[in-house]
Amino acid sequence: MTPEEYRKYAHEMVDWIADYLETVQDLPVRSNVQPGDVINQLPTSAPETGEPFDAIFADFQTKIMPGITHWQHPRFFGFFPANVSEPSMLAEMLVTAMGTNAMLWETSPAATELEERMMQWLARLMQLPETWSGVIQDTASSATFVACLMARERATRGASNEVGLMSSKPLVIYASPESHSSIEKAAKMAGYGRLNVRYTDPSDEGGMDPRSLKRLIKSDRDKGLLPAMIVATVGSTSTGAADPLREIAEIAGAEDLFLHVDAAWAGSAMICPEYRDMLDGVELADSYVFNPHKWMLVNFDCSAHFVRDKAALIRTLSINPAYLQTAAGGQVNDYRDWGIQLGRRFRALKLWFVLRSYGAEAIRDLIRNHVNWAHDLAEHIVVSSGFELVTEPRLAMFTFRPSRTDDSDEATDLLTDQLVAAVNDGGQTYLTRTIIDGRPAIRFQIGQTKTTWEDVQTAWAAVAEMSEKLSG
Ligand code: PLP
């Protein structure tokens, strides 16, 4: 592609993107293609000779777009949000053009130093200890995996990195019953083993029960196992539940266990002082992660990972082959030693663009609106017939199910499953099913950039109408 062609098509793409974001609300939220529909339209081999860009873009529109689920749709209320914003997209354009690899300070000093500064900005905005060190990981799953490795090294006093786990007692991780599946995945990858993740009993509020945590630790010590780590969750994926962080941190301290806090979704809301209580005690943790790529207008991917002891992190992950040694090594942050990857994207630029373009106050307003609308809709559901709240709103999420007085639990559960499937097929909105206390429930979480209260009402009207129809 010549520079002139690039300029022409880039302008066309930007127009297409601006139109897309202005009209995405007219599309079905979830893609309705069937398995194989997309791949069967694609040639089985790459072309030997280049094709005109017009033809490629035409295929993008006809073959790829139907298979896209629209995460930026203002009525996307499924999973957790992955909201984007124009300043963030502009930063991504620049980063993509430069193809920056931020693996070493020397491979782009500005990328490293901006990352350092952005993590300080986030720490300050969220009232995290200013002595912590921060790094941008790709996802919370990676941050949790890194934390598991740090905990493993601490429990085995560095032996597992040197000689493996053969001579170690089995290591154990403790988590709440609502914790994210990334913990089990990390336990598998880090050599703990899936069966050495212990899930505590739930507390009355749905999070981790500290008494159960203590009992499990004692029982494992009695059996000769090696408790290594606690993962506390603030804002669980199913219901938004938060573990009692301070009590858990005190147990971690008394038992000398590594404490990692996973606030992947809820963490962005900690920019609002009125929600910050959820994180009370976090200053006692060893590691903390939240995802600006979920609810802070920063395009996926961008996961903010803080650690109390930067030296322990680097000791766990550092490698130092000749080809990665530089003159500044040792005096600067070489982020290659702070995560799993060697090569890393320059993600700090989008954080910088977003925080400067919006300012903290506008981001707080966006999050507060989402939280208030979730509470308003939940209140409406409580007084309407035909539905029940399963869990109360926590930040901008609650769960519900249909309820009809004469129905058995089995009939209600069937209706819940039919309802969420039919609503999602309908395209007006997109919701996620979960299981709470053994029974299906439907999550409703609000977090998209362009969502309005009208979008929330339209989505709820679609749910209520479908429920009527299914109830016959
Ligand atoms: N932790 C929690 C509580 C989550 O809800 C999620 C994803 O939704 C994750 C971790 C994993 O996030 P990521 O996709 O960034 O790995």
Side-chain angles (χ1 to χ4, degrees):
M1 189 178 276
T2 65
E4 291 67 35
E5 283 170 329
Y6 173 75
R7 196 178 293 277
K8 168 177 169 315
Y9 288 120
H11 281 118
E12 279 180 22
M13 294 300 103
V14 169
D15 284 340
W16 184 91
I17 291 167
D19 290 345
Y20 169 73
L21 291 174
E22 271 179 23
T23 56
V24 62
Q25 72 272 8
D26 302 330
L27 301 171
V29 186
R30 194 203 62 197
S31 165
N32 267 334
V33 300
Q34 296 304 308
D37 281 356
V38 177
I39 198 168
N40 289 335
Q41 297 181 71
L42 305 174
T44 50
S45 316
E48 285 296 328
T49 53
E51 300 180 44
F53 191 75
D54 286 324
I56 301 169
F57 191 55
D59 280 352
F60 164 75
Q61 290 178 288
T62 55
K63 297 180 177 159
I64 303 299
M65 279 308 281
I68 295 295
T69 290
H70 299 287
W71 284 72
Q72 303 317 312
H73 197 298
R75 292 191 303 279
F76 181 106
F77 299 119
F79 303 102
F80 276 138
N83 63 23
V84 309
S85 66
E86 287 77 3
S88 178
M89 287 184 269
L90 293 174
E92 287 284 52
M93 282 169 70
L94 299 177
V95 166
T96 307
M98 296 182 292
T100 310
N101 185 331
M103 62 187 190
L104 303 171
W105 177 87
E106 187 174 293
T107 57
S108 274
T112 295
E113 294 188 14
L114 186 64
E115 183 161 339
E116 243 174 276
R117 186 61 87 214
M118 287 309 97
M119 296 307 279
Q120 287 163 356
W121 280 15
L122 288 179
R124 205 163 258 194
L125 282 169
M126 317 245 157
Q127 300 165 55
L128 302 174
E130 301 209 355
T131 51
W132 280 4
S133 304
V135 56
I136 305 179
Q137 311 283 13
D138 53 3
T139 58
S141 301
S142 294
T144 296
F145 179 42
V146 166
C148 283
L149 297 174
M150 290 179 75
R152 186 188 76 186
E153 290 312 294
R154 176 158 140 191
T156 63
R157 302 188 198 292
S160 54
N161 260 0
E162 296 303 316
V163 297
L165 283 165
M166 295 300 281
S167 55
S168 163
K169 294 176 185 173
L171 300 168
V172 189
I173 301 180
Y174 303 86
S176 94
E178 291 231 7
S179 59
H180 190 258
S181 53
S182 52
I183 296 161
E184 193 167 302
K185 194 187 238 186
K188 293 206 260 185
M189 294 188 291
Y192 290 75
R194 185 177 67 81
L195 298 179
N196 288 324
V197 181
R198 304 269 179 274
Y199 297 103
T200 68
D201 293 335
S203 68
D204 292 344
E205 290 76 40
M208 181 184 279
D209 175 6
R211 285 163 310 176
S212 159
L213 171 65
K214 272 193 194 163
R215 278 196 302 273
L216 287 173
I217 296 170
K218 176 165 181 333
S219 147
D220 284 330
R221 287 205 199 283
D222 290 348
K223 286 185 214 144
L225 308 183
L226 184 53
M229 176 186 201
I230 303 171
V231 182
T233 303
V234 174
S236 74
T237 318
S238 262
T239 69
D243 293 346
L245 210 46
R246 186 166 289 285
E247 266 182 273
I248 293 170
E250 280 159 9
I251 296 172
E255 298 279 353
D256 191 23
L257 300 188
F258 187 97
L259 175 60
H260 173 63
V261 179
D262 174 3
W265 162 68
S268 296
M270 301 305 122
I271 195 173
C272 304
E274 67 271 33
Y275 310 134
R276 178 59 175 70
D277 269 3
M278 284 177 84
L279 221 49
D280 178 48
V282 74
E283 68 281 1
L284 302 171
D286 296 289
S287 165
Y288 169 67
V289 66
F290 86 95
N291 284 346
H293 72 226
K294 278 187 162 54
W295 202 9
M296 250 185 88
L297 302 167
V298 181
N299 286 51
F300 185 82
D301 51 1
C302 180
S303 191
H305 184 199
F306 295 90
V307 292
R308 170 212 292 276
D309 183 355
K310 154 180 158 177
L313 171 63
I314 293 172
R315 245 192 341 268
T316 304
L317 298 177
S318 71
I319 30 88
N320 202 19
Y323 47 81
L324 293 179
Q325 292 167 12
T326 59
Q331 304 158 52
V332 292
N333 283 346
D334 281 325
Y335 280 127
R336 67 158 203 241
D337 286 335
W338 295 52
I340 295 154
Q341 306 156 282
L342 169 60
R344 7 183 357 266
R345 302 184 61 230
F346 177 15
R347 300 188 186 89
L349 196 72
K350 56 191 171 186
L351 258 176
W352 195 43
F353 277 28
V354 167
L355 290 172
R356 291 185 63 188
S357 298
Y358 284 85
E361 205 43 48
I363 300 174
R364 289 190 192 103
D365 286 347
L366 178 103
I367 288 175
R368 283 179 182 132
N369 279 339
H370 295 160
V371 172
N372 291 337
W373 295 336
H375 281 75
D376 291 348
L377 179 58
E379 265 172 40
H380 169 75
I381 292 173
V382 168
V383 295
S384 3
S385 58
F387 291 96
E388 64 174 355
L389 277 194
V390 180
T391 54
E392 296 289 322
R394 285 161 175 147
L395 296 173
M397 178 169 76
F398 61 84
T399 60
F400 69 95
R401 67 166 68 99
S403 95
R404 291 177 306 186
T405 37
D406 300 340
D407 275 354
S408 64
D409 284 359
E410 288 72 24
T412 304
D413 293 350
L414 182 65
L415 181 60
T416 306
D417 284 343
Q418 288 171 335
L419 178 61
V420 72
V423 164
N424 290 343
D425 285 347
Q428 278 284 6
T429 185
Y430 186 32
L431 303 174
T432 303
R433 168 191 186 269
T434 190
I435 297 280
I436 299 172
D437 294 334
R439 298 187 56 201
I442 306 175
R443 293 162 77 262
F444 200 108
Q445 75 70 31
I446 306 174
Q448 284 312 330
T449 313
K450 310 270 181 197
T451 299
T452 61
W453 172 235
E454 285 67 41
D455 290 312
V456 175
Q457 289 174 305
T458 305
W460 183 252
V463 173
E465 193 184 318
M466 188 56 77
S467 182
E468 281 284 324
K469 219 185 257 178
L470 291 172
S471 302

